[in-house]
């Protein structure tokens, strides 16, 4: 049978392997936080701040990237209507409100039980989406906001004393990130169109990243370091990202389960959880000004969530 709500599965059909996995995550998280506490007790920085020059791009550059992204999505939807037919993207004329669902598109596709769909979801949700979102939100948007923060703090020294450096860019970017993931219940949509949309979003996102890199290199002279990539620190950044994920995985998933119980079933808990998750990603990027650690954390969360969703759904089918 199908499913009605991902949160219902999370709270009602948790299998013993998932319980043990969550307990293991709690133990691992506690071990990492114990190490963090020891560093703080000895007066050592948990993650040393690494400054960098202000990013060279301006608001007009971000606007151009946004326009290309929106135009790409519009073209993708148009082509989908041409290839699949306009009825594929339309909700059914007669809707059953009991079948309305606030679950993520990936969870809906996994419910089909197809191995091909599982692989497709893995490539898009666990690989493409983290790269695209971290580049657009952390590197481009947060990097630009950090450049605006310095003159603002000089003009308003009294207020600046009450707000830590980096807090405004990280918080604003996190709010927008969470808002972009807001969902409410919607009727069932054609699975072919959902699959097409999932792949299309990934392709448009990756092409937008490629366009942005080329545009900013030509227009502003942006270098590889401005995009948050330092090849010689790749392995260290991967290790930092994995240790950060271990530290936050249990709190994030426990928060998700708690909110899923408290919120109405027609409102997804994801945006609220993802706001705090984005605060971690933003802080990680602000302290290192490198993209790889945030991408690794993001990939790890999406991969783990995908695996959990597949296990829960395979049990319920």
């Amino acid at each position: 049978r199908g499913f009605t709500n991902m949160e219902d599965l999370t709270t009602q059909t948790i299998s013993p392997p998932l319980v043990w996995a969550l307990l293991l995550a709690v133990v691992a998280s506690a071990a990492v936080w114990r190490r963090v506490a020891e560093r703080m007790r000895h007066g050592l920085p948990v993650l040393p701040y690494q400054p960098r020059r202000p990013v060279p791009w301006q608001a007009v550059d971000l606007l151009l990237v946004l326009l290309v992204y929106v135009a790409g999505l519009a073209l993708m939807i148009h082509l989908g209507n041409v290839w699949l037919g306009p009825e594929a993207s339309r909700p059914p004329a007669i809707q059953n409100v009991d079948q309305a669902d606030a679950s993520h598109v990936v969870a809906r596709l996994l419910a089909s039980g197809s191995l091909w769909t599982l692989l497709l979801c893995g490539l898009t949700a666990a690989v493409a989406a983290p790269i695209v979102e971290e580049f657009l939100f952390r590197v481009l948007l947060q990097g630009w906001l950090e450049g605006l923060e310095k003159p603002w703090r000089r003009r308003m020294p009294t207020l600046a004393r009450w707000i830590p450096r980096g807090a405004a860019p990280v918080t604003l970017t996190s709010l927008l990130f969470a808002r972009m993931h807001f969902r409410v219940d919607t009727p069932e949509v054609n699975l072919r169109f959902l699959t097409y949309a999932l792949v299309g979003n990934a392709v448009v996102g990756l092409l937008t990243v490629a366009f942005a890199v080329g545009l900013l290199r030509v227009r502003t002279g942006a270098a590889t370091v401005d995009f948050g990539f330092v090849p010689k620190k790749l392995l260290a950044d991967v290790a930092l990202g994995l240790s950060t994920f271990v530290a936050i995985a249990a709190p994030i998933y426990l928060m998700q389960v708690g909110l899923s119980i408290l919120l109405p079933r027609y409102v997804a808990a994801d945006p609220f959880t993802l706001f705090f998750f984005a605060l971690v990603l933003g802080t990680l990027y602000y302290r290192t000004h490198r993209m790889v650690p945030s991408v690794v954390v993001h990939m790890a969360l999406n991969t783990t969530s995908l695996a959990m969703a597949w296990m829960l759904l395979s049990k319920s089918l």
Side-chain angles (χ1 to χ4, degrees):
R1 60 183 178 88
F3 68 101
T4 57
N5 190 291
M6 188 63 203
E7 284 78 12
D8 290 341
L9 291 173
T10 304
T11 57
Q12 296 178 14
T13 62
I14 295 181
S15 59
L18 287 181
V19 173
W20 283 107
L22 186 57
L23 289 175
L24 180 61
V26 170
V27 173
S29 177
V32 175
W33 283 109
R34 179 181 178 183
R35 185 175 180 182
V36 169
E38 290 177 354
R39 290 185 63 85
M40 294 177 65
R41 188 171 64 251
H42 290 90
L44 300 174
V46 177
L47 185 60
Y49 175 74
Q50 300 180 32
R52 58 102 181 269
R53 68 169 186 169
V55 296
W57 49 86
Q58 303 297 326
V60 63
D61 301 302
L62 296 184
L63 182 59
L64 286 172
V65 174
L66 177 61
L67 289 175
V68 168
Y69 182 64
V70 172
L73 291 178
L75 178 61
M76 182 265 294
I77 294 174
H78 171 71
L79 293 177
N81 288 331
V82 171
W83 293 336
L84 302 176
E87 68 281 353
S89 60
R90 293 174 184 168
I94 300 177
Q95 303 177 16
N96 185 345
V97 295
D98 293 332
Q99 293 180 349
D101 189 5
S103 299
H104 194 281
V105 59
V106 172
R108 296 190 183 193
L109 289 174
L110 287 178
S112 67
S114 167
L115 178 60
W116 164 250
T117 302
L118 176 63
L119 295 175
L120 191 62
C121 290
L123 289 174
T124 54
V127 179
I131 294 174
V132 172
E133 292 180 356
E134 291 311 302
F135 183 85
L136 296 180
F137 282 95
R138 249 58 66 180
V139 176
L140 293 192
L141 179 58
Q142 185 177 314
W144 175 68
L145 290 174
E146 287 182 25
L148 295 181
E149 183 188 36
K150 292 182 179 180
W152 170 79
R153 295 183 71 88
R154 287 196 296 266
R155 295 191 196 102
M156 306 178 69
T158 302
L159 184 60
R161 284 197 293 268
W162 292 91
I163 302 178
R165 290 183 182 276
V170 170
T171 303
L172 290 174
T173 305
S174 299
L175 284 171
L176 182 58
F177 180 83
R179 177 63 185 86
M180 293 292 290
H181 290 81
F182 182 78
R183 300 188 316 277
V184 293
D185 58 336
T186 55
E188 289 294 329
V189 181
N190 186 292
L191 285 180
R192 289 179 61 204
F193 183 81
L194 283 181
T195 305
Y196 170 81
L198 185 69
V199 176
N201 272 282
V203 171
V204 170
L206 292 172
L207 289 177
T208 302
V209 169
F211 168 79
V213 171
L215 171 73
L216 298 178
R217 280 189 176 277
V218 173
R219 268 186 50 85
T220 69
T224 303
V225 68
D226 294 315
F227 297 124
F229 183 65
V230 181
K232 66 180 181 181
K233 294 188 176 181
L234 179 61
L235 293 180
D237 285 346
V238 171
L240 175 60
L242 291 176
S243 61
T244 302
F245 174 71
V246 170
I248 68 170
I252 287 292
Y253 283 118
L254 289 172
M255 183 185 301
Q256 178 80 2
V257 171
L259 289 174
S260 299
I261 296 172
L262 296 175
L263 292 174
R265 67 182 295 257
Y266 54 82
V267 177
D270 298 18
F272 305 96
T273 306
L274 289 178
F275 171 69
F276 294 96
F277 179 62
L279 289 177
V280 174
L281 296 176
T283 302
L284 192 60
Y285 177 74
Y286 178 76
R287 299 295 296 182
T288 63
H289 287 124
R290 298 193 300 275
M291 177 181 169
V292 173
S294 298
V295 170
V296 170
V297 178
H298 203 149
M299 284 182 171
L301 181 81
N302 284 13
T303 301
T304 306
S305 300
L306 188 67
M308 292 174 63
W310 178 77
M311 292 176 64
L312 291 168
L313 289 168
S314 63
K315 177 181 177 180
S316 66
L317 293 175

